């Protein structure tokens, strides 16, 4: 049985996931919704890393491409939220 190794992409994914969870808990507790664009940007980076890991693991673009497209859409929404900032 192969032993799973921790690589730098997995550690970065874990780091961004923890940041997203901390920001989302802070937003829920304080009801201060001004941090949503930052949370979406971090989530987009996390999905980008997931897509890169899937592509690296499977060497095909099925799920890796799906996560990469999702990451680009989330980053686009986050940038629009940052630029509008009318919340």
């Amino acid at each position: 049985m192969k032993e799973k190794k921790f690589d730098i992409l997995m550690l970065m994914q874990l780091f961004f996931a923890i940041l997203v969870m901390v920001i989302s808990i802070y937003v829920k507790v304080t009801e201060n919704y001004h941090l949503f664009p930052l949370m979406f940007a971090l989530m987009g980076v996390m999905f980008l890393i997931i897509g890169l890991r899937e592509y690296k693991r499977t060497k095909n673009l099925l799920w890796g491409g799906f996560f990469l497209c999702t990451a680009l859409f989330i980053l686009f929404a986050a940038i629009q939220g940052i630029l509008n900032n009318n919340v």
Side-chain angles (χ1 to χ4, degrees):
M1 187 166 162
K2 273 190 169 180
E3 188 175 322
K4 294 197 175 198
K5 296 180 182 178
F6 286 98
D7 58 345
I8 189 71
L9 288 177
M10 184 180 290
L11 294 176
M12 287 174 55
Q13 178 185 345
L14 183 64
F15 174 73
F16 284 113
I18 290 171
L19 279 177
V20 167
M21 285 191 328
V22 166
I23 291 174
S24 64
I25 290 170
Y26 175 78
V27 165
K28 181 67 177 170
V29 169
T30 64
E31 296 180 2
N32 180 9
Y33 299 107
H34 295 296
L35 292 178
F36 265 158
L38 175 65
M39 185 181 72
F40 280 128
L42 292 174
M43 193 183 316
V45 171
M46 184 181 69
F47 270 82
L48 184 70
I49 292 170
I50 292 172
L52 290 174
R53 283 187 59 220
E54 279 296 313
Y55 177 71
K56 183 179 167 184
R57 185 177 66 86
T58 62
K59 297 291 189 231
N60 68 9
L61 281 177
L62 181 65
W63 285 107
F66 173 73
F67 281 114
L68 291 175
C69 290
T70 305
L72 290 176
F73 177 73
I74 292 173
L75 286 173
F76 175 73
I79 291 171
Q80 275 192 336
I82 290 170
L83 292 178
N84 289 339
N85 205 7
N86 292 332
V87 177

